[in-house]
Amino acid sequence: MAEMTMVPVEGRPFSGGLVPLDNMQYVRCRFENVMFVYSGGPWDFVDCQFVGACGLTLNGSANWTDLLLKRMAKEFGLLLPGSGSPGWKTN
């Protein structure tokens, strides 16, 4: 599999609107009231600032992974990160 090259973005302010995460490396950027869009690719933040209400929307494979984990949590008792205990719950 070929190594994915990330696109560097340095010192840029973002205010409002959609900001893609896939294959992006944000360095010393400022994000204010943005909606990050993630589809499953690599991403990186280095020394960035986040101000106001920043959110995340999932597309493509990231959305399908989210749906899978939620369904597994409901159907099989999978404990999701941040739910109190890591790993699989056993009956």
Side-chain angles (χ1 to χ4, degrees):
M1 183 175 182
E3 185 175 322
M4 185 73 61
T5 303
M6 294 204 303
V7 177
V9 178
E10 293 191 39
R12 181 172 167 195
F14 294 85
S15 183
L18 302 175
V19 177
L21 289 180
D22 296 272
N23 308 314
M24 302 299 287
Q25 180 185 48
Y26 295 103
V27 179
R28 291 179 299 283
C29 292
R30 184 175 195 273
F31 301 96
E32 183 175 358
N33 300 319
V34 300
M35 179 65 69
F36 292 105
V37 180
Y38 182 60
S39 298
W43 55 271
D44 193 18
F45 292 117
V46 178
D47 296 327
C48 292
Q49 295 178 329
F50 304 89
V51 180
C54 294
L56 174 68
T57 185
L58 302 175
N59 290 331
S61 61
N63 185 54
W64 285 110
T65 300
D66 181 58
L67 293 173
L68 170 70
L69 291 173
K70 287 177 181 174
R71 182 150 184 195
M72 289 179 79
K74 179 181 176 187
E75 302 278 335
F76 309 119
L78 172 69
L79 295 177
L80 300 175
S83 65
S85 297
W88 291 92
K89 174 179 150 186
T90 56
N91 294 328

